Amino acid sequence: MLPLVLALLLAAGGVFLHLGAQLRGSADTTDLALTDPAAAGRVAGDVGTALGRVFSYRPTDTEASAAAARDLLDATAAEQYLALMDQLRQRVAEQKLTLTTRVVRTGVVHLGADRARLLVFLDQVAQREGRPATVAGAQLSVSARLDGGHWRITDLTAR
């Protein structure tokens, strides 16, 4: 009888060790968005600040947002931004358009040690000289990478 009980205890112990290893390695326990609110807050803050700087401009100074884009965007996001601004730069000056972008809400969808995915809601206020301002909401899926202690945006997708 004792050998049977010992065999059952060993088998149960092995099962529990296996289940514990699965839990420790699951995506839910390695996702810092769920386990490290301070890290999630840092990535949300960096990304929100970056989006506000990059997508705000004045008709007399689109270079400030372009300089911010060089500092804060990387990879596909930088290419997307350059293509967009190439199309808009002349129209912004001709129409005397000022755009102010403000992050309303940011959700960190996934956060690893050096990569993050976020969902960001923005309000954008467009003002043409002599006309009333218009407000539009925007929703972006954002990918970011930690670089030198700061988060750089690597991809943007409008939702």
Side-chain angles (χ1 to χ4, degrees):
M1 179 75 161
L2 184 60
L4 179 61
V5 169
L6 285 176
L8 287 173
L9 285 175
L10 283 175
V15 168
F16 287 126
L17 282 174
H18 177 71
L19 291 173
Q22 282 183 327
L23 284 175
R24 282 188 299 280
S26 74
D28 290 341
T29 60
T30 60
D31 188 346
L32 298 175
L34 301 172
T35 61
D36 190 343
R42 277 192 301 278
V43 69
D46 281 1
V47 167
T49 299
L51 291 172
R53 289 182 57 200
V54 167
F55 290 113
S56 295
Y57 47 79
R58 296 185 319 258
T60 57
D61 185 17
T62 55
E63 184 50 39
S65 63
R70 285 190 293 274
D71 290 340
L72 303 168
L73 304 181
D74 201 6
T76 304
E79 295 167 13
Q80 293 167 321
Y81 181 82
L82 287 174
L84 174 68
M85 285 311 290
D86 283 346
Q87 294 174 7
L88 290 179
R89 192 168 279 117
Q90 186 169 349
R91 278 192 255 159
V92 167
E94 287 172 358
Q95 297 177 9
K96 297 182 179 171
L97 175 65
T98 299
L99 182 70
T100 305
T101 299
R102 183 178 64 87
V103 173
V104 177
R105 176 123 346 178
T106 303
V108 181
V109 176
H110 176 78
L111 177 58
D114 66 347
R115 303 272 180 199
R117 286 189 323 271
L118 303 93
L119 182 60
V120 182
F121 296 89
L122 308 166
D123 274 347
Q124 295 185 303
V125 179
Q127 174 77 53
R128 287 183 173 79
E129 189 175 272
R131 294 188 180 172
T134 57
V135 180
Q139 183 178 342
L140 297 174
S141 289
V142 178
S143 295
R145 177 179 47 82
L146 188 61
D147 181 22
H150 296 284
W151 289 93
R152 291 174 56 96
I153 297 170
T154 58
D155 192 45
L156 297 165
T157 304
R159 296 285 168 198

